[in-house]
Amino acid sequence: MSASTIDSRTFRQWLADGEELAVLDIRDSAIVGYASPLFATNLPAAQVEAEIDRFIPRKSVRTVLADDGSGAAEQLVERLAGRDRSQLFALAGGIPEWTRDGVAGLPTFDTPGVDFSLAIRDAKGTPVITVEELEALRGQSADVVVLDSRTVAEFDRDHVPGAISVPGAELVLRFADLVPSAETQVVVSCAGLPRAIIGGQTLIDAGVPNKVAYLHDGTKAWREAGLGLETGRTAVYGPASEDAKRFAGKHIAKLAEGDSFPRVDAATAATWAKDDKRTTYLLDVRTPEEFAEAHIPGSIASEGGQLLGVAYRSIAVRGARVVLIDDLLGVRAATTAHWLQRRGFEIAILLHDFQSARLVEAA
């Protein structure tokens, strides 16, 4: 075994020692799916050289690459050796060797989204509705709306017919514009469970007046029931109205009762990001469109709703500090911070006046 390769025993020790650690699953995304069994950031081998600096900004962090047993990880370690990544290692034998004795009891890099969401459901008693029950309500012309809490791109691919695309961190902010009345029953859906459960419980904990439930197994259950899914952007949230913002400001305060996160400014966040002894992520939790219009230099577009259930898609370094960036209303940041803290992340919040910044740039 070369000096740039570690065995499964060492990897287990690193996963448990509490120090900063980055793990990249470099297998093809179609194989990795929702990141099992490591629940680490999936960055396919062909993209590692171009994108590793984005996912692992501090080069001296211990970093483990796990492949499909093909040796691609060792080859990448050799090619990246000249880029000041002295702590880059390949997992010997890759995922096949890691799972040789089965996956039961294997440690994971991040808490699996399903496990986290089921723990929330069990602790809070989050209401649930089945596909059959939803279909029955629709057959009775009941006052019900389905909110799909995945990314717009995932919604575009397929969704429950009649659903509205509202990524998870946007739920409280957009709620008053999308739900006709306090009598409307709200069903939160995703592809399976995590983002639907977290989204539904977010609305309940925020004290919305409506009856709220999550759709059990979302589009997966809908498909398995032999029902057709819609495709395309049939119904997507729009700009939040002033009424929606007032509603969100009131209800996010209820969700955030008891939460306490340090507030930092852009200068402090920039200083943290340059610290060569601690990894800091500057994650902009607004919509991709808002990020494209204006953002803080060095920040990464990372929709808050996806961080809620699948944090490993953006955060590749365990033990890193995470700065959540939002507009001055801060609804998306508060929603995201509320749940990420419960997953063990160290969170700070940066609220920025992007509107004024755009006006200055335009002038």
Side-chain angles (χ1 to χ4, degrees), residues 10-168:
T10 300
F11 188 41
R12 279 178 174 268
Q13 293 171 346
W14 287 6
L15 285 168
D17 66 16
E19 300 297 321
E20 281 197 15
L21 174 69
V23 180
L24 295 178
D25 187 332
I26 65 169
R27 296 175 298 160
D28 183 84
S29 297
I31 296 172
V32 175
Y34 281 98
S36 178
L38 279 178
F39 294 95
T41 299
N42 175 219
L43 187 61
Q47 300 170 225
V48 171
E49 290 181 84
E51 298 188 45
I52 191 170
D53 291 343
R54 171 195 168 192
F55 285 98
I56 310 171
R58 195 166 69 85
K59 295 185 177 182
S60 59
V61 173
R62 290 177 307 172
T63 302
V64 178
L65 306 184
D67 63 20
D68 56 4
S70 64
E74 292 182 47
Q75 295 170 18
L76 276 168
V77 168
E78 290 179 9
R79 290 205 296 272
L80 290 166
R83 291 172 54 173
D84 298 325
R85 291 194 176 271
S86 59
Q87 296 294 304
L88 189 61
F89 304 89
L91 177 62
I95 298 299
E97 175 61 23
W98 179 245
T99 59
R100 181 166 54 91
D101 297 323
V103 298
L106 277 182
T108 57
F109 174 77
D110 188 18
T111 302
V114 170
D115 292 355
F116 179 66
S117 63
L118 290 178
I120 292 171
R121 181 199 67 184
D122 293 345
K124 302 258 189 180
T126 313
V128 60
I129 188 172
T130 65
V131 165
E132 293 76 16
E133 289 168 336
L134 177 58
E135 274 292 84
L137 286 173
R138 287 179 161 180
Q140 298 161 12
S141 299
D143 183 7
V144 59
V145 63
V146 178
L147 304 180
D148 190 310
S149 59
R150 299 171 297 164
T151 64
V152 175
E154 289 172 289
F155 176 88
D156 198 356
R157 187 168 59 245
D158 59 41
H159 54 268
V160 172
I164 304 170
S165 177
V166 197

Side-chain angles (χ1 to χ4, degrees), residues 5-356:
T5 302
I6 63 166
D7 58 20
S8 293
R9 180 179 178 182
T10 300
F11 188 41
R12 279 178 174 268
Q13 293 171 346
W14 287 6
L15 285 168
D17 66 16
E19 300 297 321
E20 281 197 15
L21 174 69
V23 180
L24 295 178
D25 187 332
I26 65 169
R27 296 175 298 160
D28 183 84
S29 297
I31 296 172
V32 175
Y34 281 98
S36 178
L38 279 178
F39 294 95
T41 299
N42 175 219
L43 187 61
Q47 300 170 225
V48 171
E49 290 181 84
E51 298 188 45
I52 191 170
D53 291 343
R54 171 195 168 192
F55 285 98
I56 310 171
R58 195 166 69 85
K59 295 185 177 182
S60 59
V61 173
R62 290 177 307 172
T63 302
V64 178
L65 306 184
D67 63 20
D68 56 4
S70 64
E74 292 182 47
Q75 295 170 18
L76 276 168
V77 168
E78 290 179 9
R79 290 205 296 272
L80 290 166
R83 291 172 54 173
D84 298 325
R85 291 194 176 271
S86 59
Q87 296 294 304
L88 189 61
F89 304 89
L91 177 62
I95 298 299
E97 175 61 23
W98 179 245
T99 59
R100 181 166 54 91
D101 297 323
V103 298
L106 277 182
T108 57
F109 174 77
D110 188 18
T111 302
V114 170
D115 292 355
F116 179 66
S117 63
L118 290 178
I120 292 171
R121 181 199 67 184
D122 293 345
K124 302 258 189 180
T126 313
V128 60
I129 188 172
T130 65
V131 165
E132 293 76 16
E133 289 168 336
L134 177 58
E135 274 292 84
L137 286 173
R138 287 179 161 180
Q140 298 161 12
S141 299
D143 183 7
V144 59
V145 63
V146 178
L147 304 180
D148 190 310
S149 59
R150 299 171 297 164
T151 64
V152 175
E154 289 172 289
F155 176 88
D156 198 356
R157 187 168 59 245
D158 59 41
H159 54 268
V160 172
I164 304 170
S165 177
V166 197
E170 306 292 328
L171 285 166
V172 176
L173 179 59
R174 317 285 175 169
F175 190 86
D177 285 337
L178 301 175
V179 179
S181 78
E183 305 305 316
T184 302
Q185 181 170 351
V186 176
V187 177
V188 182
S189 176
C190 72
L193 289 172
R195 288 172 284 178
I197 292 173
I198 296 171
Q201 195 60 52
T202 294
L203 293 174
I204 293 167
D205 289 351
V208 302
N210 303 69
K211 183 178 179 181
V212 177
Y214 71 90
L215 180 62
H216 181 72
D217 265 350
T219 56
K220 176 185 175 184
W222 196 269
R223 190 181 296 108
E224 290 176 349
L227 301 171
L229 293 165
E230 277 187 337
T231 60
R233 301 189 182 190
T234 51
V236 181
Y237 67 89
S241 68
E242 291 305 312
D243 285 344
K245 291 177 182 178
R246 282 190 290 270
F247 178 96
K250 172 185 175 182
H251 289 276
I252 202 63
K254 181 171 178 57
L255 177 72
E257 284 178 0
D259 290 347
S260 180
F261 303 102
R263 297 291 181 92
V264 300
D265 57 20
T268 299
T271 298
W272 286 356
K274 293 175 183 176
D275 187 348
D276 62 2
K277 294 181 174 59
R278 179 80 191 278
T279 299
T280 298
Y281 285 96
L282 307 183
L283 302 183
D284 191 316
V285 297
R286 300 173 301 146
T287 67
E289 293 77 16
E290 289 172 287
F291 181 86
E293 288 181 5
H295 59 267
I296 291 173
S299 61
I300 298 170
S302 185
E303 288 184 81
Q306 310 326 304
L307 283 173
L308 298 181
V310 283
Y312 51 78
R313 289 185 181 177
S314 297
I315 304 172
V317 180
R318 173 189 280 185
R321 177 169 45 200
V322 179
V323 178
L324 302 178
I325 302 169
D326 198 359
D327 59 25
L328 293 179
L329 191 57
V331 174
R332 280 82 62 96
T335 301
T336 308
H338 178 79
W339 294 114
L340 280 188
Q341 185 185 55
R342 287 156 176 78
R343 294 185 67 164
F345 290 96
E346 180 183 337
I347 306 294
I349 291 178
L350 194 172
L351 302 184
H352 186 72
D353 188 351
F354 290 100
Q355 182 63 33
S356 293

